Amino acid sequence: MTTLTRPPAEPSDRPKPAGDIKQGQFKRWLLDGMPETSGKRQGPHGKPDQDHTPQAWWKVMCLTGVDYFSTLGYQPAIAALAAGIVSPLATIVLVAVTLLGALPVYRRVAAESARGEGSIAMLERLLPRWGGKLFVLALLGFAATDFMITMTLSAADASAHAIENPFAPEWLHGQEITITLALIAGLGVVFLRGFKEAINVAVVLVGVYLVLNAVVVAVGLAHVVTEAHVVTDWWAALNQQHGNPLIMVGIALLVFPKLALGLSGFETGVAVMPQIKGSPSDTEENPAGRIRGTHKLLTTAALIMSAFLVASSFITTFLIPAAEFQPGGKADGRALAFLAHQFLGDGFGTVYDISTIAILWFAGASAMAGLLNLVPRYLPRFGMAPAWTKAVRPLVLVFTAVGFIITLVFEANVEAQGGAYATGVLVLMTSASIAVTLSARRKKQKAKSIAFGAVAVVFAYTTVANVVERPDGIRIAALFILGIVLVSFASRIRRSFELRATHIKMDQMALEFTASNEEGPIRIIAHEPKRLSADRYELKLQHAQQANHLPVDSDAIFIEIIVDDSSDFEQELLVEGKVRHGFKILEIHSNNVPNTLAAVLLHIRDVTGLMPHIYFRWTEGNPIANLSKFLFFGEGEIAPVTREVLREAEPDITRRPWVHVG
């Protein structure tokens, strides 16, 4: 650097005590894989993991299926308990909504978010600025509800299968909470060590589980055929209780929201799209093969699940006494397992229990993977998460701790968690249907707009009915949303003084402006681009010369930041050189002023090898009000904030660009 004749004094510099070596090693292990933050260095925040190889769509379907198909472990029992004798009709309604509503919606979502962003990203694009950010935070709260309750509910049901097995030791009974906590802890340990080869494990688990369920369903149907009176008894009871077929259909529609657990898995199916192997002709802009594979995944999974849901609903309703579905009954939360033990013996039933426990436990792994994909994708980009959320292990510890809390609050009860789970699933599906409706309308596809709009109405009704029937779900979701919003804004304030530029590029004229002086210093005058007359530039230059003793022949460059969307946090910057009224100007479109100025100054220093000096006027107005303007609108107290950003970004004061205020 040629412009610092002496290093400036820094009274605040004090020697730091030597850190504990073990603590340093633990921290490195905990934050392993976290990319460099923008607060320390410019550049991309990390690259996608290149270790994995894209897989065939049917294999990736199994990764989604550990969440989707595992609901067979508890869905028939919950449906029978919620809908009673009407359960088969309500399940048919569920299947109709799945195939005619959810499936077309998510096929459209897959086509418009081929990188796995899902419906949340579609709505984010439709709702820009702070309104869009707040809406996304709310949807993330519901998504967190969906995935977290998937973990805890699945683990709770796995514990129920373990305890109810006839070969289970007597001391296990009454230990549902302990077993559930152990399963969640084991899940956390797996992710702390590294979650690899997940797809291959999922293929084995799903394959075995579906084969065992097919055997149970086939045997159950055989018993229904040989014991035909169970069908006539059911039909007689149904007519006696409800009489008119229209009333039966109406009741099935009313209880349908209680069966919404059977709709899980679609959002996850879109999220895993990057794992699907496309065709050789795929491009980043048009991954047609990957989209086709995702459509096959969604359609096949929906058809398989629909067949199992309908068949299992009929056989469990026909063959299991209603009293066994009640809390404490042998079929409570495990209807198909009950039939496996009853008709195929305890040996086969135990194999079925082990398979169910394994897939339910791995369903939690699928949910954990969804959370680890979702949180770093949005919150750090919004500036609304601490830097450590880009590392896997700290997030795993946080999610595991939250899983412990949920399990203790709900006492590992499957039915008690069903409302919160259904709320999360239904809100995400409603948002997806609204997103594709708006997309079709924007593209002037009238017929599709009407069809998707009708689906959105169905999901909206189902969501509202579920919230009214089981308000605990919306309460849990509200707590997640509140927590995410509070943590997000606290993090945004804490990270306000980071560099936010992920990449900086200077055009040819901007490079010529900054490289024209071979010895330095490079003198830059900050100018607010609201008044662009020649007189205004002349007055600004004269003020800088008088207040900061700038030489008349200093060949100063003006820099102007045009704030577009202040709600964005990170951004790539393009520095354009322009000549206006004979003055040299660097113009940048950005989301804030001081952080952008600091990033550009450091970039100019690195490109030219010369130290930039920037000149400001003091900001008029109340400092607290100006600070608030900076936090929310990217403007306000520019000079001191620019200096603070530079101080945090460049610890070496001899390499830090100079800030002058007059």
Side-chain angles (χ1 to χ4, degrees):
M1 300 299 172
T2 62
T3 61
L4 284 174
T5 57
R6 58 180 176 80
E10 180 59 61
S12 64
D13 277 353
R14 293 183 177 89
K16 298 180 180 179
D20 180 58
I21 295 177
K22 292 184 179 179
Q23 183 180 5
Q25 291 176 344
F26 174 75
K27 185 176 181 180
R28 284 194 296 272
W29 173 82
L30 189 66
L31 300 180
D32 180 50
M34 186 179 77
E36 189 73 40
T37 66
S38 61
K40 299 297 180 186
R41 183 177 302 167
Q42 297 157 16
H45 288 311
K47 299 177 181 179
D49 186 3
Q50 299 298 323
D51 293 339
H52 77 274
T53 303
Q55 302 283 342
W57 65 267
W58 60 270
K59 289 185 177 182
V60 181
M61 181 190 72
C62 293
L63 181 61
T64 305
V66 293
D67 175 15
Y68 193 24
F69 299 142
S70 68
T71 58
L72 288 170
Y74 49 82
Q75 169 73 10
I78 290 179
L81 185 63
I85 201 169
V86 189
S87 174
L89 300 182
T91 301
I92 291 173
V93 173
L94 172 68
V95 167
V97 173
T98 298
L99 298 179
L100 302 179
L103 180 58
V105 163
Y106 278 94
R107 285 173 63 94
R108 176 88 179 213
V109 171
E112 298 197 16
S113 59
R115 287 186 290 271
E117 306 97 322
S119 59
I120 296 178
M122 292 176 64
L123 289 170
E124 182 193 4
R125 291 192 292 267
L126 295 170
L127 298 169
R129 302 186 181 274
W130 281 110
K133 301 295 187 295
L134 292 173
F135 188 75
V136 168
L137 289 180
L139 288 181
L140 288 177
F142 286 108
T145 304
D146 179 4
F147 289 127
M148 285 303 310
I149 300 296
T150 296
M151 290 171 50
T152 58
L153 185 147
S154 298
D157 195 57
S159 69
H161 280 77
I163 290 170
E164 293 298 327
N165 185 275
F167 300 114
E170 186 64 30
W171 57 267
L172 278 181
H173 290 269
Q175 302 298 320
E176 291 89 347
I177 296 177
T178 303
I179 297 172
T180 302
L181 292 175
L183 289 172
I184 295 173
L187 194 65
V189 170
V190 169
F191 276 89
L192 288 175
R193 291 180 59 85
F195 190 63
K196 295 183 179 179
E197 304 300 331
I199 292 179
N200 292 333
V201 174
V203 169
V204 174
L205 288 178
V206 169
V208 172
Y209 185 67
L210 291 182
V211 168
L212 292 176
N213 272 282
V215 172
V216 174
V217 168
V219 171
L221 290 174
H223 276 273
V224 170
V225 172
T226 57
E227 302 173 28
H229 67 88
V230 297
V231 179
T232 56
D233 291 346
W234 169 77
W235 184 251
L238 188 64
N239 280 282
Q240 183 178 0
Q241 291 185 21
H242 305 297
N244 194 315
L246 293 178
I247 296 178
M248 299 178 193
V249 175
I251 293 175
L253 291 173
L254 289 174
V255 300
F256 159 68
K258 298 180 181 180
L259 280 63
L261 298 181
L263 289 168
S264 66
F266 282 97
E267 194 75 30
T268 310
V270 174
V272 299
M273 281 188 70
Q275 301 285 346
I276 297 175
K277 184 178 181 180
S279 60
S281 60
D282 279 6
T283 63
E284 189 64 25
E285 294 75 21
N286 183 30
R290 187 195 305 166
I291 293 172
R292 285 194 300 271
T294 306
H295 286 171
K296 293 177 182 178
L297 180 157
L298 295 171
T299 303
T300 304
L303 291 173
I304 292 173
M305 190 61 177
S306 296
F308 272 112
L309 282 175
V310 172
S312 64
S313 177
F314 275 103
I315 64 174
T316 54
T317 303
F318 293 162
L319 301 174
I320 300 177
E324 297 293 354
F325 292 113
Q326 298 302 315
K330 294 182 180 180
D332 179 22
R334 54 191 308 274
L336 289 176
F338 177 90
L339 294 179
H341 283 274
Q342 181 174 345
F343 295 135
L344 294 164
D346 289 337
F348 181 91
T350 299
V351 173
Y352 183 88
D353 284 341
I354 294 172
S355 174
T356 304
I357 291 169
I359 197 169
L360 284 168
W361 179 72
F362 214 69
S366 175
M368 178 77 85
L371 285 168
L372 294 174
N373 175 65
L374 203 61
V375 170
R377 174 169 286 174
Y378 289 99
L379 294 185
R381 180 163 56 86
F382 292 174
M384 291 180 169
W388 52 259
T389 57
K390 296 174 186 176
V392 169
R393 290 183 177 124
L395 281 179
V396 170
L397 293 176
V398 171
F399 296 144
T400 303
V402 174
F404 284 172
I405 294 171
I406 294 173
T407 297
L408 293 172
V409 169
F410 286 102
E411 299 181 343
N413 187 298
V414 175
E415 172 62 21
Q417 298 177 70
Y421 185 25
T423 299
V425 170
L426 288 171
V427 169
L428 290 180
M429 288 195 154
T430 302
S431 67
S433 59
I434 292 173
V436 298
T437 301
L438 294 176
S439 172
R441 183 178 179 183
R442 189 175 63 249
K443 295 179 180 179
K444 298 181 179 180
Q445 299 170 334
K446 187 175 180 179
K448 291 183 178 180
S449 299
I450 295 173
F452 287 133
V455 174
V457 170
V458 171
F459 281 128
Y461 152 74
T462 308
T463 303
V464 172
N466 180 76
V467 169
V468 172
E469 179 72 21
R470 294 183 284 185
D472 56 310
I474 197 68
R475 294 192 193 105
I476 295 296
L479 290 176
F480 274 106
I481 294 170
L482 180 62
I484 287 176
V485 169
L486 291 178
V487 171
S488 295
F489 278 96
S491 175
R492 177 98 179 197
I493 292 172
R494 187 177 180 275
R495 296 184 62 194
S496 293
F497 299 106
E498 292 183 4
L499 293 177
R500 303 185 188 181
T502 58
H503 181 73
I504 298 177
K505 179 181 179 181
M506 302 179 72
D507 69 6
Q508 185 64 34
M509 186 171 289
L511 288 170
E512 290 176 359
F513 289 167
T514 55
S516 61
N517 190 335
E518 296 181 357
E519 297 183 359
I522 299 176
R523 303 187 187 276
I524 299 174
I525 300 173
H527 179 244
E528 190 175 9
K530 291 184 178 179
R531 286 174 284 183
L532 305 178
S533 64
D535 292 342
R536 186 61 184 173
Y537 286 107
E538 187 62 41
L539 287 172
K540 199 67 177 280
L541 178 60
Q542 290 176 6
H543 175 270
Q545 292 171 343
Q546 294 171 4
N548 300 287
H549 307 288
L550 215 64
V552 176
D553 59 346
S554 59
D555 193 27
I557 305 170
F558 289 90
I559 188 168
E560 299 175 351
I561 311 298
I562 301 173
V563 178
D564 297 322
D565 184 356
S566 60
S567 68
D568 287 336
F569 190 80
E570 298 177 343
Q571 187 175 1
E572 294 186 2
L573 301 178
L574 173 63
V575 183
E576 298 179 281
K578 296 186 177 182
V579 176
R580 191 176 291 129
H581 308 300
F583 297 99
K584 297 177 181 178
I585 298 167
L586 300 178
E587 183 179 281
I588 307 107
H589 286 261
S590 179
N591 49 44
N592 72 91
V593 177
N595 307 69
T596 301
L597 289 172
V600 172
L601 291 173
L602 290 171
H603 185 76
I604 291 174
R605 178 203 66 181
D606 296 339
V607 168
T608 64
L610 302 174
M611 186 64 76
H613 289 233
I614 190 166
Y615 300 88
F616 294 96
R617 293 183 65 170
W618 283 114
T619 306
E620 297 294 330
N622 185 289
I624 297 178
N626 284 330
L627 181 60
S628 300
K629 288 174 64 177
F630 160 67
L631 293 174
F632 291 100
F633 303 109
E635 301 175 350
E637 202 70 61
I638 304 301
V641 174
T642 302
R643 195 267 177 187
E644 177 60 20
V645 175
L646 287 169
R647 188 186 70 82
E648 290 199 7
E650 179 52 79
D652 185 355
I653 194 170
T654 65
R655 289 177 45 80
R656 192 182 300 158
W658 287 66
V659 176
H660 306 264
V661 189

